[in-house]
Amino acid sequence: MRKTWITLKTKVRNRLDFIRYGQRIGYINVITIAIDLTILAYSVIDYRTLINTDNLFLFLFLVFTTLVWQTICFIRNFYAYTHKTAYYNLHDICRREMPVIADEVKEIYTADPIDFTDTTLIYSDTVNRLLQSEKPIHTLLCGDKEKRTFKYIKNYRNILLPFLNGKWHEMKNKNGSFYNEQKLCMASEFGQSGNDLYVKVCRGCYYNSYLTNVIYTKKLSHQSGWGMTPPANISNYPIRRLEKSIMSDHIGISTLALTTDGHVIILHQNEKALTSADRLTPSGSGSVDFRDFRAGADFRETLKAAAERELREETALPPCRIGHTEVIGFYRDLGRGGKPEFCCLTRLNAPLFEIAELEPNCEEQRDDFETFHILGETGKLDGKDFGRFSDMVLNRSPRSEEDRPALALYMCYIMLCRYLGKEITGHS
C-alpha cells in the first residue's frame, strides 16, 4: 500500500511540475486559459441575458468566438507540450569528443584531469585545502546567472523542449520521479576580497539544469533518422568559469557515512533513479536544494545541511544517529557542462550493529545495501575491508554490470583517500 501511494504521489507531482514549467517558459499559459474558460462557461450558461442586450450582441459574439479559438489553441499547445514527441533515445557524444576548457578555467583547476566513464573531471588541491580549512567562506546570493540561464532556455525553448519531453516520458514510464525542485546553484568560483573568502550562489531549478548541464553531451534522435544537439553543447561551448557560464550549475553533494567502528555505508540505486540508475552510490548523494541554503552562514554549513538531508532521505537514518559532517573535496564534471560537485564525510553516532536494519528509500534505492570496514582503530584507511572496497570503487573486479560505481562514489573515494593521506593506485 505504501509503494502504491508513493507511485501515485510521484505521478501527480511529475505532471504538475512539468505543466508549471511549461507555463513558466511561456509555452503554455495555464492562468490565461483558466480565466478564458471561466468567461466562456459564464457566456454559455447565461447566454439568454447576453442576447437580450442588443447593443452588446456583436461585441459579445466576437468575445465568445475569440475565447473558443484561444481554448482550441491552448489545447493544441498543451497536447504538443505533454504528448510524447517523435524524438527518442538520448545518445552520449562525449565518447567521441572531449570538452574544451577555457584558459581562465585551467588557471584555477591545476590538478591533472581525472577520466571516468563517459566524462572527465577537473579539481584543484588549492580549493580542497580551502574547504578543509577553518577560514569562513561568505555566501553572496545574486540573480544575474539565473536570469542568464533562463534567457538562454527561453530563447531556444523549441529546440530544448524535446529533450525535456523525452526525459519526462521516460521517467513516467518507469514510475520514477522527475521533479522540478528549487536548487541552489554556484554563480562564481571561490574568490577573495581583502582577507575574506566568498562564493556567489543563485536560485535555480532542476529542469533548468537538465536543459543545460545534463544534456551538454547529449544528442537526441528522431524517428525519421536524424538527430539534434542542444545549442550549447560539447562541440561548440567550452567549459567556462562559473560566473560566466550559461549552464545552470546546480550544486551536487555526496557523502560517505562512517560508523563509530569504521564501517562505511554503500547504497545501490534502482532502475527508477534519475541519474546513476543501477549503480553503487555513496551513503547520501544528490544536490543542494534551495531550502538548504543558510543565509549569512559559512558556505560549508549549507553544504553540510544538504549532505545530511540527502543521507537521511536515502537511508532513513534518524537525525540523532548523525554526528557531524566535513566537506573534503570539490570538483567540476566536464561531462555535465562543468557542473560543481562537493564530497563530504559524515561521522555517525552509532556502531554498525545499531544501523543494521536500515530501510533505504524505495523511490530510488534498492532494498539491499553494503557496508565495508575501511577505517582502523588509528583513524587511517587500513580497515580489513578497505582493499575490497577499493577494488569495487576502482572497478577492478566487477561482479556484474550493476556492481559498477557511480561517479559520486568514485570521487568520494578519491577525495577521502586524499583527505586522510592514503596513496591511491590503479586510477586514472
Side-chain angles (χ1 to χ4, degrees):
M1 184 65 184
R2 180 172 174 266
K3 287 189 176 182
T4 302
W5 166 247
I6 290 175
T7 300
L8 178 60
K9 183 180 72 171
T10 299
K11 286 182 176 181
V12 171
R13 183 172 173 185
N14 279 346
R15 180 166 289 273
L16 288 177
D17 281 6
F18 190 58
I19 291 172
R20 280 197 292 259
Y21 193 73
Q23 160 87 16
R24 187 183 172 205
I25 62 177
Y27 201 87
I28 55 177
N29 198 325
V30 179
I31 296 175
T32 300
I33 197 60
I35 295 172
D36 288 347
L37 287 174
T38 302
I39 297 173
L40 184 60
Y42 173 76
S43 302
V44 171
I45 294 171
D46 205 22
Y47 73 96
R48 291 183 179 177
T49 303
L50 298 175
I51 290 175
N52 290 335
T53 311
D54 295 335
N55 59 333
L56 292 178
F57 176 73
L58 181 59
F59 173 73
L60 292 172
F61 174 77
L62 293 174
V63 171
F64 182 84
T65 305
T66 302
L67 292 174
V68 170
W69 175 245
Q70 289 178 346
T71 302
I72 293 172
C73 291
F74 172 81
I75 293 173
R76 181 193 62 193
N77 292 339
F78 188 86
Y79 178 80
Y81 179 70
T82 58
H83 182 67
K84 188 176 175 70
T85 67
Y87 294 92
Y88 70 104
N89 194 12
L90 277 174
H91 301 281
D92 199 328
I93 60 178
C94 188
R95 297 174 185 175
R96 301 192 303 273
E97 299 183 50
M98 292 300 296
V100 176
I101 306 173
D103 290 339
E104 61 194 15
V105 174
K106 293 178 182 178
E107 295 174 0
I108 303 172
Y109 303 95
T110 54
D112 292 334
I114 296 177
D115 291 327
F116 189 76
T117 307
D118 297 335
T119 192
T120 301
L121 317 163
I122 53 175
Y123 69 101
S124 166
D125 289 325
T126 302
V127 173
N128 287 347
R129 286 194 294 269
L130 181 154
L131 289 169
Q132 295 163 16
S133 71
E134 297 182 356
K135 192 170 185 178
I137 302 174
H138 301 285
T139 312
L140 307 177
L141 185 63
C142 64
D144 292 346
K145 179 164 184 168
E146 180 186 7
K147 293 176 183 176
R148 185 166 64 247
T149 301
F150 189 68
K151 182 179 179 181
Y152 161 77
I153 293 173
K154 201 165 184 179
N155 286 344
Y156 294 102
R157 63 188 178 191
N158 289 333
I159 299 175
L160 294 172
L161 278 177
F163 288 89
L164 187 69
N165 181 286
K167 188 64 178 180
W168 183 65
H169 279 280
E170 176 192 336
M171 298 309 295
K172 185 177 73 169
N173 293 337
K174 288 182 180 180
N175 291 325
S177 59
F178 188 44
Y179 302 152
N180 189 29
E181 295 174 322
Q182 296 294 300
K183 297 297 180 182
L184 188 70
C185 307
M186 275 187 77
S188 79
E189 305 287 349
F190 291 99
Q192 186 166 356
S193 177
N195 293 324
D196 294 330
L197 297 173
Y198 71 91
V199 64
K200 293 181 181 179
V201 297
C202 66
R203 186 193 297 266
C205 66
Y206 184 76
Y207 285 3
N208 284 357
S209 287
Y210 182 80
L211 295 178
T212 53
N213 293 95
V214 178
I215 64 174
Y216 175 70
T217 61
K218 305 298 182 183
K219 179 180 179 180
L220 192 62
S221 298
H222 191 275
Q223 291 178 356
S224 62
W226 58 278
M228 69 176 180
T229 55
N233 63 70
I234 190 173
S235 300
N236 62 19
Y237 191 81
I239 302 299
R240 302 180 181 180
R241 290 175 63 101
L242 289 164
E243 58 265 30
K244 296 182 178 180
S245 175
I246 62 166
M247 300 287 145
S248 185
D249 292 325
H250 76 285
I251 302 170
I253 193 79
S254 301
T255 190
L256 290 172
L258 281 172
T259 63
T260 54
D261 48 355
H263 289 79
V264 65
I265 302 170
I266 302 300
L267 302 179
H268 208 152
Q269 299 261 64
N270 61 30
E271 73 284 353
K272 296 180 183 179
L274 192 57
T275 58
S276 304
D278 291 321
R279 290 289 183 263
L280 296 168
T281 63
S283 320
S285 181
S287 51
V288 181
D289 291 345
F290 192 77
R291 59 192 167 103
D292 297 320
F293 177 51
R294 301 294 186 263
D298 190 317
F299 180 57
R300 299 179 190 85
E301 295 306 313
T302 293
L303 298 176
K304 293 175 184 179
E308 292 178 3
R309 175 186 52 77
E310 287 287 352
L311 178 61
R312 292 193 304 272
E313 289 177 355
E314 296 186 2
T315 64
L317 275 169
C320 62
R321 294 298 187 200
I322 297 175
H324 69 279
T325 298
E326 306 159 66
V327 182
I328 61 174
F330 170 71
Y331 63 97
R332 291 184 67 184
D333 182 356
L334 304 190
R336 299 182 113 191
K339 183 178 179 294
E341 299 279 347
F342 290 87
C343 300
C344 298
L345 175 64
T346 299
R347 310 272 185 173
L348 302 181
N349 287 330
L352 177 62
F353 77 89
E354 290 187 16
I355 61 168
E357 301 301 322
L358 281 181
E359 294 184 6
N361 185 346
C362 63
E363 278 195 65
E364 293 189 351
Q365 308 297 333
R366 292 190 350 189
D367 293 337
D368 58 327
F369 68 95
E370 298 187 60
T371 59
F372 297 85
H373 185 249
I374 65 170
L375 214 62
E377 294 181 0
T378 60
K380 296 182 179 180
L381 290 171
D382 55 2
K384 64 182 179 66
D385 294 330
F386 181 72
R388 186 163 61 92
F389 177 65
S390 295
D391 288 345
M392 178 198 71
V393 174
L394 298 176
N395 203 27
R396 292 191 180 118
S397 54
R399 292 166 292 185
S400 68
E401 179 65 23
E402 293 183 354
D403 289 318
R404 294 184 180 276
L407 172 61
L409 176 58
Y410 181 82
M411 287 308 296
C412 277
Y413 166 82
I414 298 296
M415 295 300 181
L416 178 66
C417 289
R418 297 181 74 87
Y419 181 60
L420 295 180
K422 181 75 173 181
E423 183 178 351
I424 310 168
T425 58
H427 87 283
S428 58

